[in-house]
Amino acid sequence: MAPDKAQQLGHDLASLATSISEIAEELKAMGNAAHGGNDEAEPKLEDQKPQIHTLEEVRGILADTASAGHREAVQALIHKHGAQRLSDIDPSEFGTLIVEARAIQ
């Protein structure tokens, strides 16, 4: 495996692990609330740091959406964010872009 590919794979796996951890914490908090448990011991979602999304992560999600038959909608999202191509979009908008792309599917 090429060093660049291995580095990218490692980065992607770390990002995935972070996402899984965040989802697990949210599910635990929801379970506590549903059972009347005291969720004061659980960290509040507002107190957690926002997840940082990478260009590669966003590119993968948009590619999946486009290949599912929504190519025009993906292009419209990119244009909506004031860009002609994904790499021109400010990384601070990646989270919003992911939410919008997932809403298409």
Side-chain angles (χ1 to χ4, degrees):
M1 181 179 300
D4 288 342
K5 183 72 172 177
Q7 183 180 14
Q8 181 60 45
L9 183 58
H11 179 71
D12 291 347
L13 287 172
S15 178
L16 179 60
T18 300
S19 296
I20 290 171
S21 176
E22 290 174 358
I23 291 168
E25 290 300 320
E26 289 180 35
L27 288 173
K28 285 185 347 188
M30 287 173 34
N32 282 344
H35 288 86
N38 182 3
D39 56 348
E40 287 300 316
E42 296 291 326
K44 294 185 176 159
L45 295 179
E46 304 87 55
D47 297 338
Q48 294 178 1
K49 65 179 182 175
Q51 182 177 0
I52 306 297
H53 298 283
T54 64
L55 176 63
E56 292 77 18
E57 179 185 5
V58 177
R59 182 174 283 130
I61 292 168
L62 292 182
D64 290 345
T65 303
S67 66
H70 304 288
R71 184 179 177 278
E72 292 82 14
V74 168
Q75 285 296 320
L77 280 180
I78 292 171
H79 292 133
K80 176 182 173 185
H81 286 268
Q84 293 298 312
R85 55 187 190 172
L86 178 59
S87 59
D88 292 336
I89 296 177
D90 188 305
S92 66
E93 297 184 39
F94 286 171
T96 303
L97 189 57
I98 288 172
V99 170
E100 292 171 342
R102 288 182 176 154
I104 292 171
Q105 300 175 350

